Amino acid sequence: MLRKSCLTIFIFFLCLCQNSAQMPGVEMARGAKRIEIPFERQGNFIIVKVVFQGLFPLKFIIDTGAEHTILTKKELPTLLGIPFERTINLMGTDMKTQVIAHIVRKVKLQLPNVLFTKDIIVLDDDYFEFDKFAGLDVHGVIGSEAFRGFIVKFDFSKQLITLYDPSVFKHSDKRNFEELPVQIIRSKPYIITQAQINNDSSSQLKLLLDTGAALSLLLHTYSTPGLSLPPQVIKGNIGTGLGGEIEGFVGRIKSLKIGSNTIVEPISNFQELESLSDSTYLNGRNGLIGGEVLCRFNFIIDFNKEKLYVQPNRYFKYKFSYDKSGLLIVAGGANLTIFTVHEVLPNSPASEAGLQKGDEFVSINRIPCRYFSLGEINRKMQSKSGRTYRIVFLRNGKKQRINLTLRDLI
């Protein structure tokens, strides 16, 4: 069961009309050519504070896997009387579902030290459900197009994004970083990597660098020779995104190389797209690299020269943990502190303990769940095998108690 929502966005329509200037709609504070934007890191997402149209303080995810900026709250432009120029259909993350959205022109998004004036996409409904599946009160995503023409540095150690005009980017700014080629397609960055799936097979893969996906990897099985499932996988819901939940498999691959850096035994989600009729939507990619891997590097993307600079940070050697309960839990309520079982994996510790879909957690080891976030509960379910939690839950309005003992599932 996937604990981290895969929030990757696939938007496949002709580009919105843009000013022909190199950096349209971007105004740095006090005319600077280099600014810093602080961010929060929650659940492997990069979250920034945004003021919408100078009025509403919101939170957005920085998403290099999306081309355009997306607002999930249709009521905001409606409240302000901002007209929708036209309605469009977007392809969902499952590559099947069509969702309805609207184009709004020249919206002002004020971030720390920079003002973006951009055409954005407004979803007709909150298809992402960040609150439910990620436990996050966020209102949209800022896509890669916002950074077109800039050099962007992501520093996970300091939780800072640095935005450079190329004219002020110096050799010292990339000192101790390894330079790699990156391909920019419709403002989104792709790299070529080497992955060892099993002991006896490895594949060269083209992967999207996707800061909007909280998971480690999503690989499209059978999209290239050698890209098959590892021996031990779990079948089920591997994530959520634009258009709903995604079905597939979860397992570990042996390794992934990014430049000279080898990432050992990362968790990978596997999605099969053999039935996809038009694979050009994928730009020839074999999958994506998400936030759980990307946060182990400080990295710089030069969108003009198509260069990537990477530097392992203090998170690089952290082991990749995964759920050991068999539960997919969702958040609800005004403060996102009502936690309900959304799915139970068969033959897992949760199913053997008797938990069922719809059960509402009341306490864990005598601590009321209102004191936890969804991320904190998920991390508890990823702790060491053999750990037992005393869980009180509600079923049909009646309290029940179980002991849930974790064990490795992959």
Side-chain angles (χ1 to χ4, degrees):
M1 314 299 299
L2 182 65
R3 304 235 140 254
K4 303 182 181 83
S5 299
C6 173
L7 299 174
T8 308
I9 305 160
F10 301 85
I11 301 173
F12 308 116
F13 57 95
L14 293 178
C15 290
L16 304 177
C17 295
Q18 298 290 341
N19 190 311
S20 61
Q22 183 185 25
M23 305 173 200
V26 182
E27 184 179 344
M28 291 187 180
R30 297 177 297 278
K33 293 191 175 184
R34 174 187 180 277
I35 56 104
E36 292 181 341
I37 304 169
F39 67 83
E40 302 173 35
R41 181 185 165 208
Q42 296 185 37
N44 293 319
F45 296 112
I46 299 171
I47 299 176
V48 295
K49 294 180 179 179
V50 174
V51 178
F52 181 82
Q53 288 291 88
L55 293 171
F56 294 105
L58 306 177
K59 290 185 177 181
F60 275 58
I61 290 171
I62 301 294
D63 189 353
T64 59
E67 182 178 358
H68 298 293
T69 295
I70 300 177
L71 178 69
T72 63
K73 307 299 181 184
K74 182 183 177 183
E75 60 269 23
L76 291 179
T78 301
L79 180 64
L80 294 174
I82 301 173
F84 298 141
E85 178 166 294
R86 61 189 176 97
T87 299
I88 57 175
N89 291 322
L90 308 181
M91 181 72 75
T93 311
D94 61 0
M95 304 303 293
K96 299 175 184 177
T97 307
Q98 294 274 328
V99 300
I100 300 171
H102 312 276
I103 295 176
V104 176
R105 299 292 186 184
K106 299 190 182 306
V107 170
K108 294 186 182 299
L109 300 174
Q110 180 70 60
L111 278 69
N113 302 314
V114 63
L115 173 66
F116 291 106
T117 304
K118 294 288 183 180
D119 299 343
I120 69 169
I121 294 165
V122 180
L123 298 183
D124 196 63
D125 197 2
D126 187 0
Y127 300 107
F128 286 123
E129 297 185 293
F130 291 123
D131 50 358
K132 178 179 178 180
F133 289 101
L136 298 175
D137 185 20
V138 296
H139 310 91
V141 303
I142 295 177
S144 284
E145 188 278 332
F147 305 110
R148 183 168 58 90
F150 289 96
I151 298 171
V152 188
K153 179 180 180 180
F154 297 88
D155 189 325
F156 285 90
S157 301
K158 297 180 180 179
Q159 295 193 169
L160 280 176
I161 297 169
T162 304
L163 200 60
Y164 299 86
D165 183 295
S167 66
V168 300
F169 187 70
K170 303 174 183 177
H171 178 76
S172 58
D173 294 316
K174 59 185 179 180
R175 185 179 295 132
N176 300 322
F177 283 76
E178 180 180 3
E179 180 181 315
L180 303 172
V182 66
Q183 186 178 8
I184 305 297
I185 303 175
R186 298 186 61 155
S187 300
K188 297 184 289 187
Y190 298 79
I191 63 169
I192 303 299
T193 66
Q194 195 75 22
Q196 185 175 3
I197 310 300
N198 300 298
N199 287 328
D200 57 352
S201 67
S202 63
S203 301
Q204 182 173 282
L205 306 178
K206 180 180 178 180
L207 301 178
L208 172 67
L209 297 178
D210 191 350
T211 61
L215 46 65
S216 301
L217 293 168
L218 175 65
L219 301 179
H220 301 312
T221 48
Y222 314 114
S223 61
T224 192
L227 182 46
S228 58
L229 294 176
Q232 188 172 352
V233 294
I234 299 170
K235 183 178 181 180
N237 173 16
I238 63 169
T240 57
L242 186 62
E245 301 176 32
I246 309 167
E247 294 297 313
F249 297 87
V250 184
R252 289 184 187 270
I253 66 172
K254 292 298 180 180
S255 65
L256 175 75
K257 294 206 71 171
I258 297 180
S260 62
N261 305 285
T262 300
I263 299 165
V264 179
E265 294 191 335
I267 303 294
S268 182
N269 299 270
F270 294 88
Q271 180 186 19
E272 186 174 346
L273 296 177
E274 286 186 323
S275 60
L276 183 63
S277 58
D278 188 356
S279 60
T280 58
Y281 285 155
L282 298 175
N283 294 316
R285 75 168 185 247
N286 306 111
L288 63 86
I289 301 174
E292 177 67 17
V293 169
L294 294 176
C295 73
R296 294 158 194 261
F297 296 87
N298 298 330
F299 62 93
I300 302 167
I301 303 175
D302 185 333
F303 284 88
N304 280 347
K305 295 184 177 179
E306 297 191 312
K307 298 289 185 182
L308 174 70
Y309 304 93
V310 297
Q311 178 191 68
N313 59 31
R314 58 193 172 104
Y315 306 113
F316 182 76
K317 293 186 178 180
Y318 282 24
K319 290 185 177 180
F320 290 84
S321 60
Y322 187 69
D323 168 59
K324 297 181 176 69
S325 70
L327 288 171
L328 176 60
I329 301 170
V330 295
N335 298 314
L336 300 178
T337 54
I338 296 175
F339 304 106
T340 306
V341 176
H342 183 70
E343 197 171 334
V344 180
L345 185 72
N347 304 313
S348 67
S351 66
E352 292 160 4
L355 286 168
Q356 298 177 10
K357 182 175 181 176
D359 290 343
E360 181 184 318
F361 277 31
V362 175
S363 66
I364 300 175
N365 287 354
R366 298 187 175 87
I367 302 175
C369 286
R370 65 178 178 272
Y371 295 118
F372 299 126
S373 67
L374 180 60
E376 288 169 336
I377 291 179
N378 287 339
R379 284 191 290 275
K380 288 181 182 296
M381 300 302 149
Q382 296 173 8
S383 54
K384 65 180 181 180
S385 293
R387 175 164 291 176
T388 297
Y389 291 109
R390 176 77 165 168
I391 295 175
V392 178
F393 63 94
L394 288 175
R395 181 182 295 165
N396 300 322
K398 295 182 179 180
K399 284 186 178 180
Q400 299 190 39
R401 295 169 174 80
I402 56 104
N403 289 327
L404 176 64
T405 303
L406 306 181
R407 72 166 183 267
D408 287 325
L409 299 175
I410 56 175

